Amino acid sequence: MKPLVYDYLVIRFGEIAIKGKNKKAFVMKLEDDVRGKLSDFPRLYIKRHFDDIEIQLNGEDADQIIPILRKIFGIQNISSAIKVENDLDAIRSGALRVAEQEEGVKTFKIAARRKDKRFPVHGSELNQDLGAWLLKHCDRLRVDVHHPDLTLRVEVGYHETRIYGHEYKGAGGLPVGASGKVMLMLSGGIDSPVAGYLLAKRGALIEAIHFQSPPYTSDRARQKVIDLSKKLQSFGGKVRLHLVPFTNAQVAIRDAVPEDYRITIMRRLMFRIAEKAAEQNGTLAIATGESLGQVASQTLESMNTINQVTDLPVLRPLITMDKLDIAAIAKEIDTYEISIRPYEDCCTIFLPKAPRTRPDRFHADRFERSLNVEDLVNEAVRGIETLTFESSESEELFSGLL
Ligand code: ATP
Ligand code: MG
């Protein structure tokens, strides 16, 4: 094993640094996430600063920790680092230690910054001094200011100097929960889990709602959404899954609504139920995995007719994306294999092969008059069963009926 040179990892947050007075709350949320995800490494010492979060390794293996950090939303990048005294000789030998550690590096540049103006050497002088020092003491290195293999950052602080080695890209986005809660309509398909992932990346805490129609849909279909919810939870925060009994509503729709409007009416009922569940859970928006024009129920006419029944904003993160691009993300985030398990979704029962692509509000309203919409919605909401997934093991906690 290589001698351990780096004692620290430094986490930078990028986007959340510019969030004005919310910044402290964002950074504290991120710190919580970092601590939660690294709880298996007891020797780490984690400290939050104004501009970064510093992790003192105390002998823990950075190679195990970095991949975990790279999955946490809100982290822009992570650097390995050492700390030395604010002393030119100490900084020179520190820079050399870092350069020697980064074995694959042939070209470098120094990017030095002096926060503490009492330090006698200016940033630009430090750049030149350290550059010359490394060229003299490390034969393999050349300077390349445009495309260096390593930008060796040096930051002279008020108490000590940090010298940074390799920088790893983080997942970006915002810490999960920083943007509030969203009620995600989660089917067992490929799209809606991807929509959930993208929302989590923008800081949304996911409340998932799934409509099931037993006995027409099986336990394995139910297991599929449970597994998808666990995957979504692995990106951070806690995910709650609301399972809605939808059989009676679907049977009523089949019996009362002409075939070509069944999908439209079914979706309008789903939105009404999702809105009620959203109200009960303090979520301010509904989200779906719809993509414009992908299928008949995702035309503008459909969305217009379906959206009519709710006042909540309906977020559609995939609206402009092609199926192949959505599938590529699903593979990346490991939901694809779960989504393609071949079990029935409630949407596929009782529904026509050729639904109307241009439904309108007038007809939808008219067909709903032959249904007892309010009772069907209330009955479904009363029957909701809620599961909670939290912690890295996605422990399943039964939290009873709503
Ligand atoms: P997905 O891949 O997410 O299932 P899809 O391409 O199959 O989407 P539709 O069946 O038209 O598209 O569903 C559109 C959206 O409606 C889904 O992305 C999801 O948000 C929601 N939805 C569909 N079926 C269900 C369900 N059984 N429970 C909850 N939400 C659903
Ligand atoms: Mg689907």
Side-chain angles (χ1 to χ4, degrees):
M1 212 178 102
K2 280 190 290 185
L4 198 69
V5 177
Y6 296 116
D7 316 310
Y8 294 89
L9 294 173
V10 177
I11 294 172
R12 295 192 200 80
F13 4 95
E15 184 169 6
I16 66 177
I18 57 170
K19 291 272 170 179
K21 64 179 192 295
N22 288 332
K23 176 174 170 180
K24 188 157 178 217
F26 280 94
V27 181
M28 284 169 70
K29 181 84 205 44
L30 182 60
E31 183 194 1
D32 263 7
D33 292 348
V34 169
R35 284 184 190 281
K37 294 281 179 189
L38 296 181
S39 58
D40 290 343
F41 301 89
R43 279 178 295 171
L44 297 179
Y45 179 69
I46 301 172
K47 191 160 189 285
R48 169 169 49 85
H49 297 286
F50 189 69
D51 283 323
D52 52 53
I53 294 172
E54 183 184 277
I55 301 179
Q56 190 172 350
L57 290 166
N58 291 320
E60 299 281 12
D61 183 2
D63 290 345
Q64 284 183 33
I65 292 162
I66 290 164
I68 298 172
L69 294 176
R70 294 187 74 178
K71 278 185 75 178
I72 300 177
F73 293 134
I75 294 182
Q76 214 60 32
N77 59 55
I78 305 130
S79 291
S80 347
I82 61 169
K83 282 201 221 175
V84 297
E85 278 174 49
N86 286 0
D87 167 80
L88 186 58
D89 283 339
I91 296 173
R92 282 174 175 166
S93 63
L96 185 58
R97 265 200 292 150
V98 167
E100 279 171 347
Q101 168 75 5
E102 298 289 339
E103 283 169 348
V105 169
K106 293 200 171 62
T107 58
F108 77 103
K109 84 170 182 191
I110 306 277
R113 212 177 122 221
R114 186 183 59 149
K115 276 191 191 164
D116 185 351
K117 302 297 179 213
R118 292 170 307 180
F119 189 72
V121 190
H122 292 235
S124 56
E125 288 171 297
L126 254 186
N127 282 341
Q128 285 171 14
D129 182 287
L130 297 176
W133 181 264
L134 291 192
L135 287 173
K136 190 167 158 205
H137 292 89
C138 190
D139 288 343
R140 99 178 112 86
L141 292 181
R142 279 185 300 113
V143 171
D144 181 345
V145 289
H146 299 297
H147 303 288
D149 297 337
L150 174 70
T151 298
L152 199 149
R153 294 182 198 282
V154 175
E155 209 175 75
V156 182
Y158 294 97
H159 305 292
E160 63 222 341
T161 296
R162 280 188 191 154
I163 304 172
Y164 300 102
H166 192 76
E167 184 177 298
Y168 304 84
K169 199 168 169 342
L174 300 171
V176 174
S179 303
K181 291 198 278 186
V182 167
M183 186 61 67
L184 169 72
M185 293 175 57
L186 183 65
S187 69
I190 292 169
D191 303 329
S192 41
V194 173
Y197 163 82
L198 293 174
L199 286 164
K201 183 169 177 181
R202 289 308 303 170
L205 195 63
I206 301 297
E207 297 264 338
I209 186 164
H210 176 72
F211 299 85
Q212 52 184 5
S213 300
Y216 304 100
T217 55
S218 66
D219 269 358
R220 287 182 301 185
R222 174 189 158 102
Q223 190 58 43
K224 214 172 149 178
V225 277
I226 288 177
D227 291 346
L228 288 170
S229 301
K230 287 181 178 175
K231 271 284 180 245
L232 287 177
Q233 193 282 325
S234 74
F235 294 102
K238 156 174 106 169
V239 169
R240 298 209 306 161
L241 170 63
H242 306 283
L243 294 161
V244 185
F246 203 49
T247 316
N248 288 351
Q250 285 204 287
V251 170
I253 291 169
R254 179 197 60 189
D255 292 346
V257 176
E259 258 200 23
D260 59 348
Y261 262 80
R262 282 184 198 159
I263 286 196
T264 307
I265 305 298
M266 181 190 78
R267 288 240 183 277
R268 281 163 60 113
L269 255 68
M270 283 182 170
F271 269 40
R272 288 186 179 96
I273 294 164
E275 183 180 82
K276 289 221 162 174
E279 273 167 19
Q280 291 181 354
N281 291 283
T283 70
L284 295 178
I286 296 173
T288 75
E290 289 161 301
S291 153
L292 186 59
Q294 196 191 77
V295 290
S297 60
Q298 299 178 19
T299 59
L300 284 179
E301 289 82 357
S302 278
M303 285 187 233
N304 179 291
T305 306
I306 293 162
N307 239 115
Q308 182 193 8
V309 302
T310 178
D311 290 330
L312 290 183
V314 178
L315 310 179
R316 297 178 168 94
L318 310 184
I319 196 70
T320 61
M321 290 177 66
D322 293 345
K323 190 79 188 183
L324 281 178
D325 298 329
I326 299 169
I329 300 179
K331 285 176 189 162
E332 219 173 279
I333 64 173
D334 234 14
T335 53
Y336 187 82
E337 291 300 321
I338 304 173
S339 292
I340 59 173
R341 290 183 206 156
Y343 308 123
E344 286 285 281
D345 182 30
C346 75
C347 302
T348 49
I349 63 167
F350 309 144
L351 294 176
K353 299 238 169 346
R356 182 165 288 261
T357 52
R358 305 196 189 292
D360 61 69
R361 292 176 173 206
F362 172 78
H363 285 91
D365 281 339
R366 204 178 84 195
F367 294 134
E368 276 178 1
R369 265 177 243 134
S370 51
L371 285 173
N372 198 335
V373 170
E374 207 183 318
D375 283 357
L376 289 171
V377 168
N378 288 336
E379 182 199 323
V381 171
R382 270 199 307 277
I384 289 178
E385 176 196 345
T386 300
L387 306 176
T388 304
F389 306 98
E390 53 192 335
S391 89
S392 47
E393 288 81 46
S394 285
E395 190 183 335
E396 198 174 318
L397 301 170
F398 183 67
S399 61
L401 302 180
L402 264 181

